[in-house]
Amino acid sequence: MLRNFSYRLKTPLAVTLVILLSAAVVSGLLIWRGYRQASQSFETQAMGLGRVLARTVRPALLHDDLWQAYETLITPLDRVDGEGRDFILLDARGRVFAASNPRRFPVMSDFMPTAAAALTPAGAHSGQVVSIDSAEHYLYIATPVLAEDGTILGRLIQRYDRAALGPQLPQVAANTLYAVLAALVLLLPLGWLAGKRLAEPLSHLAECLGRVGRESPEAIRCEFPQGRDEISVLARSFHQMVGELQAKAALERHLAQNDRLAAIGRLSAGIAHEINNPLGGMLNAISNHRRRGEPDPSAEKTLSLIERGLLQIRDTVSALLVEARLESHALAPDDIEDVRTLVAADVQGKRLRLEWRNDLIEPVPLPSAQVRQILLNLLLNAIQATPAEGEVDCGLTLDGNRLRIQVSNGGPAIPPRRREHLFEPYFGEGEGHGLGLWVTYQLVNQLKGEIAVKSVPGCTSFSVSLPLETEHET
C-alpha cells in the first residue's frame, strides 16, 4: 500500500513516525527512571526513619517497657497517613515485643517465618536489610536495635504495602508525558516540514521525468538546487538527457524536412520536365509562324500575348528546377537595381515605403541569376506581408568574403506552426503556396550559403549570407 504513495507524503510521514517512536522510548525510559528514583528515595527515607526509631526504642527494649515502645512506634504514624504502614519491634529471639498494630501483630507472637528469614541473612547482623515479599506485595525494612556495646537487642521492622507506592508511578508518568507532549507539539510540525522539504526535489524530478515522452524536449524546463548530493547528481543527468533528446529531435526534424524537400524537388523536376516539352513546342510554333510572313496586326497582338504567357510559364517552371545551374554573369550593382525596378509597381500599389541600401560598387563572384531570384522572392514576400502604407527594408552589404542580404517588413509575426515549415512548399497559411521561400532556400543551399529568419510582432527579418569564393557547379 505504501508503495503507491508519493515520497512527498512518505518522507514526512516516516520522519513523524520516527519522532513518535523516539518520544515513546524516551518517555518509557524517563518514567522507569523516575519511578526508580522515587522508589530509591522512599527506601532512603524509610531507612533513615528506621535508624531514628531504632535508637528511640532502645531504652524501652532494655527496660522491657512495652507501652513506651508502643508510643514510640505510633508516633510517626500520627504525623502521616498510616494506611499501609506497620512498625514492628522484635526482641532478640525474633518475637514481637511491640507493634503499631497489635491486633495484626500480637505481643509475644512469632513474626512471619518467611519474612523473618528474608530479613536475617547471613552476615547482616548490624546492617539494614530491605526485602520484598512478592507473594504478599509487601516491602520490609529491618533495622537492628543495638546496645552500647554493639550487641543486637532486637530488630525494628517497617512493613509497607507496595500498593501505597502505586500512586507515585501514575504521577511520575503523568509529569513525564506532559513534558513529552509539549515537545511533540513543537517537533511534529518541524519534522513534517523538514521531511516534506527533503522530498520536494525528488518529487519534482519524478514529475519532470514523467513529462519526457509526453511533451517535446524543448518544452521541458525544470530547475533544481545546485549541490553534490544524490538529487543534484540525478538532476544533472536529467538535464543532460533532455539536452540529448532536444538535439535528437532537432536532427530528426532536419532529416524529415530534407526528405520532404528532396521528394518535392524530384516531383517538381518531373512536372517541370513534362511541362517544358510541350511548352518548347508551342514557342517554336509561334517563332515558325512569324518567320513565314508578316501577320496582320490583330494576329500579331494575339501571338505576342500568347508568347508572353508562355514565357512566364517557362520562367515559373525554370524556378522549380533549382538544381539546374543557370548560366549567368557575375553579380553587378545594376542587377540589384533591376530587382528594385521589378518590385516598384508592387510597392506603389500598396503605398509602401521601401528603404533601399545597395553597397555593391563593382561586380562580385556570384551568379547573378540565382542572387536576383533570391532577392526578388524575399522582397515579394515582404511586400505581401506588409500592410498598406507600411515599410519594407532591404540592404545588401559586403562583409569580408561574404555577401549579406537582409530584407525586413513591419507585418505580423509568423505563427510558430508556420515557422517550423517555413521553407517547405505548399504549406502556406492564407495567401500564397510557399514556393517562393522554398525556391529561395534551395538556391541559398546551392550557393552554399545560409538563411535565417527572426519574427516578432511588428518585425519579420530574413537574413542571407553567401560566400564569395565558393566554387559553384557548372
Side-chain angles (χ1 to χ4, degrees), residues 40-60:
Q40 291 175 359
S41 176
F42 176 80
E43 291 179 5
T44 301
Q45 294 176 1
M47 288 181 179
L49 177 62
R51 287 192 293 269
V52 173
L53 287 177
R55 289 194 296 268
T56 306
V57 299
R58 182 175 61 184

Side-chain angles (χ1 to χ4, degrees), residues 142-277:
T143 305
V145 179
L146 305 177
E148 293 294 338
D149 58 358
T151 304
I152 297 179
L153 300 177
R155 294 183 183 276
L156 175 67
I157 307 299
Q158 300 178 66
R159 182 176 181 266
Y160 295 95
D161 188 351
R162 295 183 64 190
L165 301 176
Q168 296 180 3
L169 179 60
Q171 183 179 3
V172 172
N175 294 336
T176 304
L177 290 178
Y178 289 149
V180 171
L181 287 177
L184 288 178
V185 170
L186 177 64
L187 291 178
L188 286 179
L190 292 178
W192 184 272
L193 292 176
K196 186 177 180 181
R197 187 177 182 87
L198 287 174
E200 281 181 353
L202 183 60
S203 300
H204 183 50
L205 178 60
E207 179 184 355
C208 293
L209 286 173
R211 295 169 58 187
V212 176
R214 294 188 289 105
E215 302 179 14
S216 63
E218 291 80 3
I220 300 176
R221 294 288 185 272
C222 296
E223 299 295 333
F224 297 93
Q226 299 294 327
R228 297 182 180 179
D229 56 5
E230 290 80 357
I231 297 296
S232 300
V233 174
L234 290 175
R236 287 193 290 270
S237 299
F238 170 77
H239 285 307
Q240 183 179 358
M241 179 188 68
V242 171
E244 293 175 355
L245 289 176
Q246 291 175 353
K248 179 176 178 291
L251 179 60
E252 289 177 350
R253 288 195 300 269
H254 180 71
L255 292 176
Q257 183 181 22
N258 287 344
D259 291 341
R260 288 194 298 269
L261 294 179
I264 295 173
R266 289 191 295 270
L267 176 62
S268 301
I271 295 174
H273 178 73
E274 296 299 325
I275 293 176
N276 275 334
N277 287 336

Side-chain angles (χ1 to χ4, degrees), residues 332-342 356-358 375:
D334 292 340
D335 295 319
I336 304 301
E337 296 302 323
D338 288 343
V339 176
R340 182 180 184 181
T341 303
L342 289 175
W356 188 267
R357 297 185 304 280
N358 181 11
L375 182 59

Side-chain angles (χ1 to χ4, degrees), residues 112 114-115 133-140 159-162:
M112 293 174 292
T114 56
D133 185 352
S134 58
E136 297 183 0
H137 303 288
Y138 285 105
L139 172 67
Y140 294 92
R159 182 176 181 266
Y160 295 95
D161 188 351
R162 295 183 64 190

Side-chain angles (χ1 to χ4, degrees), residues 281-293:
M282 287 186 285
L283 289 173
N284 287 334
I286 293 175
S287 179
N288 292 334
H289 180 74
R290 284 175 173 170
R291 284 198 298 268
R292 291 177 183 175

Side-chain angles (χ1 to χ4, degrees), residues 379-397:
L379 280 172
L380 290 177
N381 277 342
I383 292 171
Q384 181 181 358
T386 304
E389 299 183 356
E391 181 177 330
V392 176
D393 184 271
C394 178
L396 289 90
T397 59

